[in-house]
Structure formats: structure tokens, C-alpha cells
């Protein structure tokens, strides 16, 4: 398995008045090639959790394994870990700094110690993956549109050729079309390159549509870890945590509560459409 | 780490000190700082301690919170204390090779340490009990006379107040960009000085861009809310001295008189 | 004539090089003529770059027309003597909650606008009290803005605008940077202000769920108004919206898909309740005795 977390605890500002137990005994296994959604309201610990997975934060307690090796053991190469586990932060376009798109994307591979040609090759691949062609290479990242900037930033992480890609709300602030474009590209990375994806999202609709498995965080604890269909059955508990289920879940649950013999594990529009048509015998 | 700095932070509780006019507190801080430099007698320090302790008590800010602010100056404190400890000539008490600690050195170092700690705690009482806005209002009003010399007092104090609001935001942002670049393999720790400076570019460029974007946004938001400089502006919280301020000024006079009196009357101890 | 009126409004972003030569002209608003009625809740939809934010900035005279005119209650925004009156009448709330709060304490920020207007001190306090109450943030008045959630910060920003006693509030993507709870909080607040205080609201957004309760929805694309109508009218044109890079709420889309499959449903279903009203009778017919029509514990979204 790619990632395994055992009894991870993380306490912010230990010993001060601001002490905060941000992660509480989190256990987790993520297999290579999975597409996992991570949800939780603001402050639930999900951002803290993903920063552990590539070693940016160190658990105050617990063990974390990457490909079977404990990353907290002495002499473990954290920088190597960061190139295996790519992390795209929220609003990643804020980290762009180079003179042109291409040079910016080369930053990661160069830090990995690749030579110029290799780095350029990686950058080209990465920019192609996010759908930016050569006409963008020499442009300043700062004159691009919001959606394009975001893609350059994602390419900057992809160019490091990670096996696991973690994205913290990659669609925040984008319009619906921009959102779908980014998510479709991520899905393609998963399917074509068999990349392990961890997607942090506030949109239950997006999660329901793309991921195979959902982790739900609440007050620093992992409260659910299952398929979207199973997790969204618990929509009332999710609501109590300040979350919700996809709108479609509410449609099928309401129908069910009126006695319609409908499958309540439905979470997407297409499934709901087909099921309703089937039931109504059209 | 940066979160430990309590200097310049406001502690929102209700207290007599919180209610005082910021000018009174500004002046009080000045009086206290001056008194520390005048004081050269154990009794003067006792009075200063009483003065400071009453201020802490009256501020309703937990002592623990203030002491945490000292963390930021531990290094400075250590340096100045050890300088005085080892470099004051006099009767040696302990000798460590070429270093020797003298009796005089111990006294001077002790007073120096106390002086520094009191200085920081004293001024943090002001910032802990005064909102940055009140503080800048206080400065603006106290420095009003400079307007006659075409110093843009209002503008400067507005800038200070905005800077205070954005410091925590930018600190957080720095942390975030740093982590984001580390996730791309950036290294901020190793290398020589030039290497290190060069490695800061991926942090500084985004930070500057973000600061400029925030500045533009903020300027627009201020204009949209009809901001047009200090002229014709009224105040939500205009500064007005009350009885408690008058009493406080009386306390200052008595306090300063006692400290000065002691200096004149008593023999110097160092 | 309504509270806001624009006539053949055109706005060009002009980029100049170092020698002041024109390098690029980008038309952001292209001939927009609109008449917005007082007291209404109006939503402007459009993808990023459709010109909707540029339009918003015209209403507060932050940007001035390249051609055409904008009137705020008879005041032409391009006349300099109207500038402050215009800004007083239309308050603006922006996208980034951090970059529009000036004060270091909630109540001081709300007082900032009235201070600029030269309102007497006592009156400022009254306005700050009322504004904070109207957005439900009275309990936070002494807090530092940095300690608030995104939704709360936006409510403070709205209070700051309300304290200037505007006729109209223009919110330029106020929810784009918020989480779902923050978005709901802000939209609910704005609806309440519209209903209780009679304030005209112009909400600019690309989140479809936020506009279902509006009186009027205007869709912009490439600087032009391309659709204009009630939410029902707009959302019944699913394909057209998608062609403008927009989306519809899931319930609306489901109803549309069902209709495509031959189910006879009305156009532009906006809410779960509406969908149920239309679906349940059919299920009751199909499964007699099993399906009950009356509310068996609706989940209302």
C-alpha cells in the first residue's frame, strides 16, 4: 500500500494557550491507484492531515509509512518523499514566481536534481497533462486567467512525477466549466497514469461524481471511511458535522420517506434519472 | 514561533486600563521607560515593581500571556546580561579562565535584566490594553501639532493601523507559501548565505505579489467606502480625557517624583 | 426609472506599454443597457471573465464607462461631483474577505464608512449597532476580524456597507472564497436585508444555488447581457446556460434529464419541494397504497 498512518496525533502549539489537538488518533490506509475524497468542514483537520502525508508536518505521536517505510525513522529522506507525494495547496497559483510558465514548472524537477533537459522534458509532459500547449510556455504566469494559473501551478507539482497526488480544493473560486475541466484532468491522471489521488473538496457533488472512497474528518478525527454510497447514507450525521450530502441524496431520501421503493445509495444525477425512469416504468 | 510575540497584540478583555485614553497610556509608558533609566536604587526598583504590578493587575490580562511575550527577547536578554556579567570590572567572585564574574557585574547584570524585562512587559501592557486603532488614534492626536509642519499625521497613522491589521495575515501567508514551495522540493535551510538568499526568491516573489494585490484590493475597498483622507472625517471613538485619566496622570506625577526623589536623595549603588 | 440604470455601457481595459502607447484593448463590457428596479434581489451570473465583476465596479464609480452612461438614482457616475453621493448610495462588498476589512476590531471596521462620511459620533454608534444586528454579528463586535470565519468576515463587510445607509448593495462574488456553510450564511443574510430592510441587492456569482431565490437573474457572457428573466425562466434553458460555461442546480438538472427521457415535468424546477410535488403523484399512481403524498418527514435542503 502507498500510505499507511497509525495512530497519528498532532497538537498545535503544545504547552501554550493556543494548544489545539488538530488530529486525534487517525488510522488510515491508502492503496496505490486509489481515488480518495477527503471531506470535512473548515477546521476539521483535513488540511493538517494532508500536510502529514508528505512530511511537511510531523505527527506529535504515531507512525506514518510510505511504501512500507516509516517516514519518521532516522535518516529518512523527506525531500524524496515530497517528490513521491505531490501536494497541491489551496489557491496554488499564489506560489507562482518565475518569469515564464515553463521555467516555473521546471522549479520542482530542478530541485529534484534533474538536469536542464530532463527538467524541460518533465515540464513539457506536465503542461501537456493539464492541457496547456506550447503557446503558453513563454508567457508570464501572472498574465494568465485564474483557471490557467491554477493549471500551471498543478503542472508544477506534476512535473515532479509524483506517485501520489494530493489536491487541496483544486476548484476553489473557479466557475462551473473551469471546475469540470480541472476535475476531468485529474480523473484522467488517475485513469491513464494510475496515479493515486487524494482530493480534498467542499463539494459533495464533485466527490460523489469522481472518487471511489471518502474519508470524512470531524474535530480532528476520522469519522467515516467508505464508498460514497455508504457515506452519504449517513447524511444526517454529516449535517450534524456541518457537512451535507449531494442534492441527489436528498431527492432519493425524500422519495424513500414517502414510500417509494428507491435505492437510497444513489448519489449522481445519471443514476437518479435511470432509477426514477425504471421505477415509473417508462 | 511568530505567534509567541505578544508585543503589539491586543488582548480583548474589559479593565480599567482598557478604558483609559490611549494618550494616557502612551504617556504612561513613556514615564515608565524614563523612570527605569532614572532608577538606580533598589528602592526605586521596588516602586517601579509596585507600579508595574498594579498595572498588570488592573489590566486583567493574565500574567502568563505577558511572560510569553518575553520569549521573543530571550536571546537579546541573554546577550546583554552576559555582557554585563563578564565584562564589568571589579572584585572577582568566580573566575573561568580569562572570563571572570565580578560582584559589580552581577549587580549590573541583574538590574539590566530586570530593566529589559520591565521595559518589554511595560510596553506590552500598553499594546495589550489598547487596540491598534486606538493606539494610532492616540498617536495621531498627540502628534496633531505636526500637521502645521505639513507632516501627514493622519495618513501615517492610518498606514500604521492597516499594517497592524495585515501583519498576522501576511505571516500566515508566508507560512503557506513556504510550505507550498517545500512541497515542490524547495530548500530554505541549507546552503551558504548567498545560496540561502537565492533560495528565498520563490518565497519572496509570491509574497510581494500577494501583498500588492491585497494593497490594491484594500485601496479599492476603502475608496468604495468613501475614504478620502483625514479631512471631514468624524470619529467613532473620539479621544476624550475622563476623570480616570486625570487621576492616572496624578499617579504618574507622584510616581515619577518618587523615582527622581530617590535618585537625588540616596546614594548610588553602582 | 429604476434605482440603477445603464445605457449602452461600454468598458475597455486598456494596456499601455512604458511609452504610453496602447498595447492592447480588451472590451470587458460591450453595450449593456439595463434598468434595475428598487427593492429587488437581482443576481448576475457569468463565468470568470464574462465581465460581471467589471460591471459591478461601474455601479460604485470605481470604474467609469468608456462609452455610455451609468445612473444611480438619476446621478450620472461619470460626473465628478456625483462621485461620493454615488458611493454612498451603492455599497460594495468584494470577493476576498480579508482584503476589505480595514478595522482591527469588528465594530471599528463597521464604523469606518460613517466616519468617512462625517457622520456625528453618536449617530455612528447607532448605525454600527443596527448594522451589526442586521447581519447577526452583534455578538462579535469586539472581536478581531482575523479570528472570524470567512462567512463571518463577509457579514462584517456587509455590515460595514449597511452602516453607510445605502440604497443598494452590490456584492461582487462575495462567496467565491467561502466554504458551503459560509456561502449559505452570506446568501441568507443578504436575502434578509433585502426582505426586512428593503435594500436593493445585486448579487454577482457563479454559484447557481445562490440565485434560485432572486427576483431577477441576468446572465452575462463576453461583456454582454445574454439572458434576463426570473430564475425559473433562466433555469429552464439548461443547454443554453451550459453553452455560457454555467451550470444548473442538481435538482433542476435532474428534472431536465427526466424530461428528456419523456417524463412530463414543467420547465425550470428549482427546488427539491417543487420536484417532489411533481414526482410524488406519479409514484403514488405507480405504487398505490405504498406511496403517501403527504409529507412523511421531508428533508428540505
Amino acid at each position: 500500500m502507498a500510505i499507511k498512518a497509525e495512530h497519528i496525533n498532532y497538537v498545535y502549539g503544545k504547552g501554550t494557550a493556543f494548544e489545539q489537538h488538530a488530529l486525534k488518533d487517525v488510522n488510515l490506509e491508502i492503496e496505490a491507484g486509489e481515488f480518495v475524497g477527503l471531506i470535512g468542514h473548515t477546521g476539521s483537520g483535513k488540511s493538517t492531515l494532508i500536510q502529514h502525508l508528505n512530511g511537511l508536518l510531523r505527527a506529535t505521536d504515531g507512525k506514518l509509512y510510505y511504501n512500507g517505510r516509516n517516514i519518521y525513522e532516522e535518516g529518512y529522506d523527506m525531500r524524496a518523499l515530497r517528490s513521491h507525494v505531490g501536494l497541491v495547496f489551496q489557491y496554488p497559483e499564489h506560489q507562482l514566481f518565475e518569469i515564464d510558465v515553463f521555467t516555473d514548472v521546471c522549479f520542482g524537477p530542478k530541485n529534484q536534481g534533474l538536469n536542464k533537459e530532463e527538467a524541460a522534458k518533465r515540464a513539457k509532459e506536465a503542461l501537456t497533462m493539464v492541457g496547456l500547449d506550447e503557446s503558453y510556455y513563454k508567457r508570464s504566469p501572472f498574465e494568465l486567467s485564474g483557471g490557467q494559473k491554477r493549471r500551471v501551478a498543478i503542472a508544477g507539482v506534476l512535473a515532479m512525477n509524483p506517485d501520489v497526488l494530493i489536491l487541496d480544493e483544486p476548484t476553489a473560486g473557479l466557475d462551473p466549466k473551469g471546475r469540470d475541466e480541472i476535475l476531468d484532468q485529474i480523473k484522467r491522471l488517475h485513469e491513464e497514469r494510475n496515479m493515486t489521488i487524494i482530493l480534498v473538496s467542499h463539494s459533495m457533488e464533485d466527490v460523489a461524481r469522481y472518487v471511489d472512497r471518502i474519508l470524512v474528518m470531524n474535530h480532528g478525527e476520522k469519522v467515516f471511511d467508505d464508498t460514497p454510497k455508504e457515506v452519504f447514507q449517513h447524511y444526517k450525521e454529516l449535517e450534524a458535522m456541518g457537512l451535507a450530502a449531494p442534492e441527489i441524496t436528498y431527492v432519493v431520501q425524500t422519495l424513500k420517506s414517502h414510500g417509494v421503493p428507491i435505492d437510497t445509495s444513489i448519489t449522481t444525477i445519471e443514476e437518479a434519472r435511470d432509477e426514477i425512469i425504471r421505477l415509473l416504468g417508462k | 514561533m511568530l505567534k509567541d510575540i505578544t508585543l503589539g497584540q491586543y488582548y480583548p478583555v474589559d479593565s480599567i486600563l482598557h478604558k483609559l485614553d490611549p494618550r494616557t497610556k502612551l504617556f504612561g509608558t513613556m514615564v515608565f521607560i524614563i523612570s527605569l533609566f532614572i532608577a538606580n536604587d533598589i528602592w526605586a526598583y521596588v516602586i517601579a515593581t509596585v507600579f508595574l504590578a498594579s498595572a498588570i493587575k488592573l489590566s486583567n490580562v493574565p500574567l502568563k500571556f505577558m511572560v510569553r511575550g518575553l520569549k521573543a527577547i530571550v536571546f537579546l536578554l541573554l546577550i546583554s546580561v552576559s555582557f554585563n556579567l563578564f565584562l564589568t570590572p571589579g572584585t572577582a567572585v568566580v573566575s573561568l579562565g580569562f572570563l571572570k564574574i565580578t560582584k559589580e557585574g552581577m549587580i549590573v547584570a541583574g538590574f539590566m535584566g530586570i530593566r529589559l524585562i520591565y521595559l518589554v512587559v511595560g510596553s506590552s501592557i500598553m499594546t495589550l490594553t489598547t487596540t491598534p486603532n486606538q493606539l494610532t488614534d492616540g498617536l495621531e492626536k498627540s502628534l496633531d501639532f505636526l500637521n502645521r509642519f505639513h507632516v501627514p499625521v493622519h495618513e501615517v497613522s492610518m498606514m500604521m493601523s492597516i499594517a497592524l491589521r495585515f501583519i498576522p495575515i501576511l505571516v500566515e501567508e508566508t507560512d503557506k507559501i513556504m510550505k507550498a514551495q517545500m512541497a515542490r522540493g524547495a530548500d530554505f535551510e541549507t546552503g551558504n548565505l548567498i545560496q540561502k538568499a537565492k533560495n528565498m526568491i520563490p518565497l519572496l516573489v509570491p509574497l510581494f505579489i500577494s501583498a500588492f494585490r491585497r494593497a490594491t484590493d484594500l485601496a479599492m475597498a476603502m475608496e468604495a467606502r468613501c475614504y478620502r483622507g483625514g479631512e471631514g472625517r468624524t470619529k467613532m471613538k473620539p479621544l476624550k480625557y475622563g476623570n480616570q485619566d486625570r487621576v492616572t496622570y496624578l499617579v504618574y506625577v507622584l510616581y515619577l517624583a518618587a523615582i527622581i526623589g530617590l535618585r537625588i536623595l540616596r546614594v548610588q549603588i553602582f | 426609472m429604476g434605482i440603477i440604470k445603464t445605457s449602452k455601457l461600454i468598458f475597455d481595459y486598456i494596456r499601455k506599454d512604458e511609452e504610453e502607447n496602447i498595447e492592447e484593448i480588451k472590451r470587458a463590457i460591450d453595450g449593456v443597457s439595463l434598468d434595475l428596479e428598487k427593492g429587488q434581489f437581482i443576481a448576475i451570473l457569468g463565468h470568470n471573465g464574462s465581465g460581471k465583476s467589471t460591471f459591478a465596479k461601474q455601479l460604485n464609480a470605481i470604474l467609469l464607462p468608456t462609452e455610455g452612461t451609468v445612473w444611480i438614482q438619476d446621478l450620472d457616475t461619470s460626473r465628478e461631483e456625483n462621485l461620493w453621493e454615488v458611493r454612498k448610495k451603492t455599497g460594495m462588498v468584494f470577493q476576498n474577505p480579508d482584503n476589505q476589512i480595514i478595522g482591527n476590531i469588528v465594530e471599528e471596521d463597521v464604523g469606518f464608512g460613517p466616519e468617512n462620511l462625517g457622520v456625528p459620533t453618536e449617530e455612528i454608534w447607532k448605525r454600527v449597532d443596527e448594522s451589526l444586528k442586521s447581519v447577526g454579528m452583534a455578538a462579535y463586535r469586539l472581536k478581531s476580524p482575523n479570528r472570524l470565519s470567512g462567512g463571518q468576515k463577509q457579514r462584517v463587510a456587509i455590515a460595514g456597507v449597511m452602516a453607510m445607509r445605502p440604497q443598494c448593495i452590490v456584492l461582487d462574488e462575495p462567496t467565491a472564497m467561502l466554504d458551503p456553510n459560509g456561502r449559505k450564511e452570506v446568501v441568507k443574510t443578504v436575502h434578509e436585508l433585502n426582505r426586512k430592510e428593503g435594500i436593493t441587492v445585486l448579487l454577482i456569482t457563479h454559484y447557481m444555488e445562490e440565485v434560485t431565490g432572486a427576483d431577477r437573474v441576468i446572465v452575462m457572457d463576453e461583456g454582454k447581457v445574454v439572458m434576463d428573466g426570473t430564475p425559473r425562466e433562466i433555469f429552464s434553458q439548461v443547454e443554453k446556460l451550459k453553452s455560457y460555461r454555467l451550470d444548473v442546480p442538481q435538482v433542476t438538472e435532474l428534472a431536465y434529464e427526466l424530461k428528456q427521457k419523456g417524463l412530463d415535468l414543467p420547465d425550470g424546477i428549482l427546488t427539491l419541494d417543487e420536484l417532489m410535488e411533481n414526482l410524488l403523484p406519479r409514484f403514488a399512481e405507480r405504487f398505490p397504497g405504498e406511496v403517501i403524498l403527504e409529507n412523511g418527514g421531508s428533508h428540505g435542503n
Side-chain angles (χ1 to χ4, degrees):
Chain A
M1 82 218 37
I3 293 171
K4 187 175 172 192
E6 277 179 359
H7 307 289
I8 293 283
N9 279 281
Y10 185 70
V11 184
Y12 269 112
K14 207 165 186 167
T16 71
F18 296 108
E19 184 174 305
Q20 208 186 338
H21 206 151
L23 292 179
K24 290 176 202 153
D25 198 39
V26 176
N27 292 292
L28 187 66
E29 277 181 35
I30 292 172
E31 303 286 342
E34 273 194 283
F35 195 150
V36 181
L38 178 57
I39 62 177
H41 68 88
T42 312
S44 61
K46 58 188 194 310
S47 293
T48 311
L49 178 62
I50 58 173
Q51 289 180 35
H52 277 78
L53 303 186
N54 76 342
L56 280 173
L57 290 177
R58 191 192 172 98
T60 28
D61 199 18
K63 289 200 180 91
L64 191 64
Y65 298 90
Y66 178 70
N67 282 345
R69 268 191 75 192
N70 182 0
I71 70 162
Y72 297 139
E73 74 187 18
E74 213 163 307
Y76 192 90
D77 186 354
M78 280 293 177
R79 282 181 72 189
L81 174 68
R82 278 171 209 155
S83 43
H84 293 306
V85 184
L87 173 55
V88 178
F89 274 82
Q90 214 181 355
Y91 299 104
E93 58 274 23
H94 292 174
Q95 76 196 22
L96 301 175
F97 69 100
E98 275 291 3
I99 196 104
D100 62 51
V101 167
F102 197 75
T103 325
D104 205 292
V105 177
C106 284
F107 179 66
K110 274 189 193 150
N111 285 330
Q112 288 177 299
L114 297 185
N115 65 32
K116 220 176 157 191
E117 287 75 48
E118 284 174 285
K121 197 173 145 247
R122 288 270 196 88
K124 251 183 213 158
E125 273 175 22
L127 283 163
T128 314
M129 279 187 241
V130 298
L132 293 174
D133 62 36
E134 278 181 37
S135 65
Y136 290 95
Y137 288 6
K138 289 292 148 214
R139 286 174 69 179
S140 160
F142 305 109
E143 59 185 34
L144 302 179
S145 76
Q148 288 165 344
K149 274 188 208 170
R150 174 115 4 134
R151 283 195 250 163
V152 173
I154 294 175
V157 173
L158 285 176
M160 298 178 73
N161 214 1
D163 304 314
V164 180
L165 183 66
I166 309 174
L167 302 109
D168 192 355
E169 283 194 70
T171 61
L174 297 182
D175 60 30
K177 192 79 183 292
R179 180 196 67 203
D180 291 349
E181 281 167 6
I182 294 260
L183 290 173
D184 286 342
Q185 260 150 12
I186 293 167
K187 194 176 167 209
R188 229 173 301 136
L189 287 172
H190 171 65
E191 284 168 357
E192 290 168 14
R193 309 202 143 225
N194 201 27
M195 213 179 261
T196 312
I197 309 273
I198 303 175
L199 175 73
V200 178
S201 178
H202 276 311
S203 163
M204 302 304 144
E205 285 76 16
D206 291 350
V207 169
R209 216 160 89 205
Y210 288 94
V211 310
D212 310 321
R213 174 180 161 199
I214 296 180
L215 304 174
V216 183
M217 295 292 294
N218 192 37
H219 296 306
E221 282 173 275
K222 188 184 84 175
V223 283
F224 291 113
D225 180 354
D226 215 325
T227 60
K229 290 194 184 310
E230 285 303 317
V231 170
F232 289 131
Q233 297 274 355
H234 300 274
Y235 67 102
K236 283 192 174 149
E237 283 144 281
L238 290 174
E239 278 173 14
M241 295 172 205
L243 297 167
E247 263 191 84
I248 295 301
T249 302
Y250 292 93
V251 172
V252 291
Q253 293 285 357
T254 312
L255 285 172
K256 182 84 183 178
S257 73
H258 282 86
V260 178
I262 196 167
D263 174 8
T264 52
S265 72
I266 282 171
T267 54
T268 66
I269 293 173
E270 294 71 31
E271 289 170 333
R273 175 196 64 198
D274 295 345
E275 175 79 353
I276 290 171
I277 296 293
R278 187 184 66 80
L279 285 170
L280 288 177
K282 289 254 177 176
Chain B
M1 187 178 62
L2 282 158
K3 278 185 184 138
D4 284 337
I5 301 173
T6 50
L7 205 67
Q9 231 181 68
Y10 176 68
Y11 196 90
V13 282
D14 204 16
S15 81
I16 302 174
L17 285 200
H18 282 75
K19 285 202 187 85
L20 282 182
D21 189 289
R23 286 168 296 174
T24 312
K25 284 181 273 188
L26 266 171
F27 189 70
T29 311
M30 257 168 56
V31 164
F32 184 65
I33 291 171
I34 292 168
S35 77
L36 286 179
F37 285 97
I38 296 173
N40 62 346
D41 177 299
I42 189 90
W43 289 106
Y45 274 92
V46 169
I47 296 177
T49 308
V50 171
F51 184 78
L52 188 65
S54 347
I56 293 173
K57 184 88 193 80
L58 289 173
S59 73
N60 272 351
V61 179
L63 184 64
K64 241 168 111 188
F65 196 79
M66 286 188 201
V67 173
R68 260 223 336 274
L70 290 173
K71 270 194 200 161
I73 62 147
V74 164
F75 190 61
L76 185 74
L77 199 64
L78 274 177
I79 289 183
S80 53
V81 167
S82 34
F83 255 94
N84 283 299
L85 198 59
F86 293 114
L87 299 177
T88 315
T91 0
V93 182
V94 191
S95 283
L96 302 157
F98 66 96
L99 288 172
K100 57 174 195 267
I101 299 173
T102 61
K103 188 176 161 234
E104 289 79 0
M106 281 163 71
I107 296 172
V108 174
F111 276 108
M112 185 54 120
I114 292 174
R115 194 179 275 173
L116 262 174
I117 291 170
Y118 279 20
L119 217 78
V120 170
V121 173
S123 23
S124 57
I125 292 179
M126 176 179 69
T127 51
L128 286 167
T129 60
T130 318
T131 70
N133 266 24
Q134 285 170 351
L135 200 63
T136 46
D137 272 0
L139 276 172
E140 187 181 346
K141 192 111 188 214
S142 311
L143 302 175
D144 225 1
F145 64 93
L146 286 174
N147 263 326
R148 259 176 284 158
F149 307 106
H150 299 288
V151 179
V153 180
H154 166 79
E155 281 72 14
V156 171
S157 68
M158 180 58 84
M159 274 158 56
M160 276 175 53
S161 150
I162 288 171
L164 282 169
R165 168 156 154 65
F166 277 88
I167 285 168
I169 294 174
L170 289 175
V171 167
E172 208 173 291
E173 185 139 27
T174 310
D175 183 58
K176 211 191 111 190
I177 297 172
M178 212 156 155
K179 278 183 177 160
Q181 303 298 29
M182 276 161 76
R184 292 213 280 164
D187 182 0
F188 295 107
E189 268 126 38
T190 53
N192 58 29
L193 203 64
I194 296 172
Q195 199 65 45
K196 265 191 185 162
K198 231 180 116 188
N199 289 348
M200 292 303 268
I201 293 173
L203 171 64
L204 292 178
V205 173
L207 198 59
F208 272 113
I209 291 171
S210 147
F212 276 115
R213 192 184 45 236
R214 286 185 193 280
T216 322
D217 280 6
L218 191 71
M220 190 164 68
M222 286 171 78
E223 263 190 54
R225 279 160 83 182
C226 292
Y227 180 72
R228 52 195 133 162
E231 222 165 300
R233 246 182 139 237
T234 44
K235 293 267 179 195
M236 179 180 179
K237 298 174 176 172
L239 298 180
K240 238 168 89 191
Y241 283 127
N243 278 333
Q244 71 269 37
D245 293 295
R246 287 180 202 109
V247 173
T248 311
Y249 273 104
L250 190 66
V251 174
Y252 294 162
V253 171
L254 292 175
Y255 168 70
L256 208 54
I259 298 276
I260 295 172
L262 271 170
R263 170 142 189 161
I264 296 168
L265 293 176
R266 308 229 359 164
V267 212
Q268 264 187 275
I269 47 167
F270 46 78
Chain C
M1 158 163 155
I3 184 161
I4 293 172
K5 197 176 166 199
T6 70
S7 158
K8 299 189 188 110
L9 176 64
I10 288 176
F11 184 78
D12 293 332
Y13 279 109
I14 300 172
R15 221 176 62 175
K16 290 179 177 167
D17 61 14
E18 279 126 44
E19 276 110 44
E20 291 292 301
N21 299 313
I22 291 168
E23 216 172 52
E24 194 188 338
I25 296 183
K26 219 185 112 220
R27 184 144 291 188
I29 301 179
D30 192 2
V32 170
S33 299
L34 279 174
D35 198 340
L36 307 182
E37 204 179 306
K38 195 170 156 60
Q40 279 203 327
F41 191 115
I42 301 146
I44 298 191
L45 279 175
H47 63 84
N48 292 342
S50 60
K52 59 189 195 304
S53 285
T54 311
F55 180 74
K57 292 184 181 107
Q58 297 279 341
L59 306 180
N60 189 269
I62 290 171
L63 295 175
L64 296 175
T66 309
E67 276 173 54
T69 323
V70 178
W71 291 276
I72 307 296
Q73 280 193 332
D74 298 325
L75 297 172
D76 180 345
T77 58
S78 59
R79 298 179 71 121
E80 215 180 318
E81 68 267 26
N82 290 340
L83 182 66
W84 303 108
E85 205 49 38
V86 164
R87 291 198 176 151
K88 214 170 104 180
K89 282 186 196 290
T90 52
M92 282 282 284
V93 176
F94 299 92
Q95 187 186 91
N96 190 324
D98 279 321
N99 297 357
Q100 57 183 318
I101 294 180
I102 293 111
N104 285 285
I105 288 205
V106 167
E107 63 174 18
E108 288 178 4
D109 184 71
V110 178
F112 180 76
E115 284 184 333
N116 293 333
L117 296 175
V119 174
T121 301
E122 266 165 64
E123 170 76 13
I124 296 179
W125 280 91
K126 215 181 106 204
R127 287 192 185 190
V128 169
D129 285 346
E130 286 173 9
S131 309
L132 280 172
K133 248 182 233 149
S134 73
V135 299
M137 286 295 290
Y140 298 85
R141 62 181 305 154
L142 293 176
K143 289 255 190 289
S144 154
N146 292 333
R147 305 236 175 243
L148 304 181
S149 72
Q152 290 172 331
K153 283 180 201 167
Q154 288 300 55
R155 276 151 71 196
V156 171
I158 295 170
V161 165
M162 287 299 290
M164 296 172 74
R165 299 269 161 90
Q167 302 280 319
C168 165
I169 332 183
V170 179
L171 302 104
D172 185 5
E173 295 196 50
T175 58
M177 298 180 77
L178 307 182
D179 64 14
N181 292 332
R183 290 209 294 265
K184 273 186 209 145
E185 197 179 310
V186 168
V187 171
K188 191 175 145 243
T189 305
V190 181
H191 269 292
E192 267 171 28
L193 288 178
N194 174 250
R195 211 175 42 239
K196 289 187 190 150
E197 324 254 334
I199 281 260
T200 313
V201 171
L202 198 67
L203 176 70
I204 290 160
T205 183
H206 55 235
Y207 289 110
M208 306 301 133
E209 315 83 74
E210 293 173 4
V211 311
T212 50
D215 296 313
R216 179 178 174 188
V217 178
I218 294 164
V219 180
M220 284 186 74
D221 186 60
E222 291 182 1
K224 294 187 177 78
V225 170
V226 288
M227 294 169 90
D228 185 349
T230 62
R232 196 176 305 283
E233 285 162 9
I234 300 294
F235 285 132
S236 60
Q237 306 173 59
V238 175
E239 293 301 321
K240 200 171 171 191
L241 279 169
K242 288 195 168 171
S243 74
Y244 295 126
R245 291 179 63 103
L246 294 170
D247 221 349
V248 290
Q250 281 207 318
V251 169
T252 310
E253 180 147 12
L254 177 61
Y256 172 79
E257 293 266 329
L258 288 171
K259 205 176 161 180
Q260 295 285 306
K261 289 276 171 187
L263 217 55
D264 182 28
L265 293 171
D267 277 330
I269 284 182
L270 298 174
T271 63
L272 182 63
D273 288 344
E274 273 174 34
L275 183 66
M276 289 305 135
E277 261 168 49
N278 284 289
L279 278 183
L280 282 173
R282 285 160 220 264
F283 279 110
E285 221 172 89
R286 181 77 179 74
F287 304 98
E290 283 177 56
V291 173
I292 26 166
L293 279 181
E294 60 280 3
N295 205 321
S298 164
H299 299 281
N301 189 0

